[in-house]
Structures are given as C-alpha cells and as structure tokens.
Amino acid sequence: MKLQDFEKAIIALNSSVVLDEVKLYKNHVRRFYGHKGCTLVMWDENGRGYSCVLQKLKESEMQCDTHKGVSESCYDRDKVYDLQFG
C-alpha cells in the first residue's frame, strides 16, 4: 500500500493516534508507527494493527519511550487498530 492510503485509513479510525514514523520499501509501506498516550501502535504492510503499552515493558526490553527502543516482539496483535482500505 502507498503512504497516502495508510494515512487516510489511520485518520478514518478516529482513534487520536499520533503518527510517528514510517518505513518504506520501493514507495510501499513496510511498517507504520504511531502512538496514543502510553500505547505504541504499529501497522504491518497489510494494515494489521499491533500495540504495545509502555508501562508493561521491563527496563531491559526498552531503551527509551519511543519505538526505537522497543522490539517488534513486544507488540501484540490488536484488531482494534486494523485498517480498512478503500
């Protein structure tokens, strides 16, 4: 999916998610990251949502309170954040 497709779908969620970072591969979204309060949200290339609550992580699992310090294995599948395209 293209970046603008993801942005429109995230805005349509009406969930007050702040968009933080996107990883692209050949102009297609590979990972999209955002946050809502202390919850980090990640979407894969198909728009499936994953979330991670920072307060539940151990110090050893994160370096700081951003996506950079959190491994993808800390995110749990969260259908609440699944995106609908189209």
Side-chain angles (χ1 to χ4, degrees):
M1 289 282 164
K2 297 278 187 176
L3 179 60
Q4 57 268 31
D5 297 328
F6 267 81
E7 289 174 334
K8 287 178 189 175
I10 292 168
I11 290 168
L13 276 179
N14 272 340
S15 62
S16 304
V17 173
V18 177
L19 306 178
D20 296 323
E21 180 182 352
V22 64
K23 291 185 180 181
L24 299 172
Y25 178 73
K26 295 185 179 181
N27 285 339
H28 290 277
V29 173
R30 198 185 77 150
R31 292 283 186 269
F32 209 120
Y33 298 94
H35 73 277
K36 181 178 180 179
C38 292
T39 301
L40 300 179
V41 182
M42 176 182 70
W43 291 274
D44 66 11
E45 61 274 3
N46 298 311
R48 289 184 299 244
Y50 299 82
S51 66
C52 171
V53 179
L54 286 176
Q55 295 165 337
K56 290 183 180 178
L57 294 178
K58 298 177 186 172
E59 277 299 312
S60 61
E61 292 178 311
M62 58 183 248
Q63 298 169 1
C64 56
D65 59 353
T66 66
H67 295 280
K68 290 184 180 189
V70 179
S71 138
E72 284 190 15
S73 65
C74 294
Y75 289 86
D76 293 319
R77 183 76 171 86
D78 194 341
K79 292 183 180 184
V80 171
Y81 295 106
D82 283 357
L83 302 177
Q84 302 297 319
F85 299 104

